[in-house]
């Protein structure tokens, strides 16, 4: 029977350390790849803007959707909920929130299955209402309306 000498022990330890380094390198490459994929995801937000509207100076209130993520987004739908009731469109929501709702006072420009690029802001709907009606809707919306945006990454 041969004796274990220092050279044999050192070479076995070196092989073990090299295998561990290989495993760590493979794991790190996987984590970096996943991080790169996640870092280009889109992030859509729905928000209000009042006074000085970009698209039309006559608008007193507008709803926009913005992609603040790093990747393009394919917009599938926006669903709205007010007092536990669902609405398919903003117009239906406005009728429920504002009894004096008049379709002529709103300008809508919302289409699903549109691509929203990173940093892009898209107009969804805007109001030509006078200040009191706009504030009435804004208070109702910010207090109890939930919006869910369905989109996917391209």
């Amino acid at each position: 029977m041969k004796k274990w000498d220092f050279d044999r022990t050192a070479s076995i330890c070196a092989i073990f350390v090299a295998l561990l380094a290989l495993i760590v390198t493979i794991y790190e490459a996987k984590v970096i790849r996943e991080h790169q994929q996640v870092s280009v995801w889109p992030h859509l937000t729905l928000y209000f803007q009042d006074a000085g509207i970009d698209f039309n100076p006559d608008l007193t209130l507008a709803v926009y959707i913005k992609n603040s993520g790093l990747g393009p987004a394919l917009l599938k739908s926006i669903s709205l909920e007010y007092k536990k009731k669902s609405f398919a469109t903003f117009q239906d929501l406005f009728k429920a929130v504002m009894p004096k709702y008049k379709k002529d006072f709103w300008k809508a420009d919302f289409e699903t299955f549109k691509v929203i690029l990173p940093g892009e802001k898209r107009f969804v709907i805007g109001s030509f209402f006078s200040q009191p009606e706009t504030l009435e809707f804004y208070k109702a919306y910010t207090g109890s309306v939930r919006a869910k945006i369905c989109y996917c990454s391209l």
Side-chain angles (χ1 to χ4, degrees), residues 44-46 65-66 75-79 147-151:
L44 297 184
T45 52
L46 201 62
I65 192 163
K66 182 177 182 178
L75 183 61
K76 292 184 174 181
S77 68
I78 296 177
S79 61
K148 292 182 184 176
I149 306 169
C150 180
Y151 62 95

Side-chain angles (χ1 to χ4, degrees), residues 97-110:
V97 174
M98 296 177 294
K100 301 175 205 168
Y101 168 76
K102 294 177 186 166
K103 189 175 182 179
D104 298 342
F105 289 110
W106 290 87
K107 176 188 177 206
D109 186 24
F110 174 72

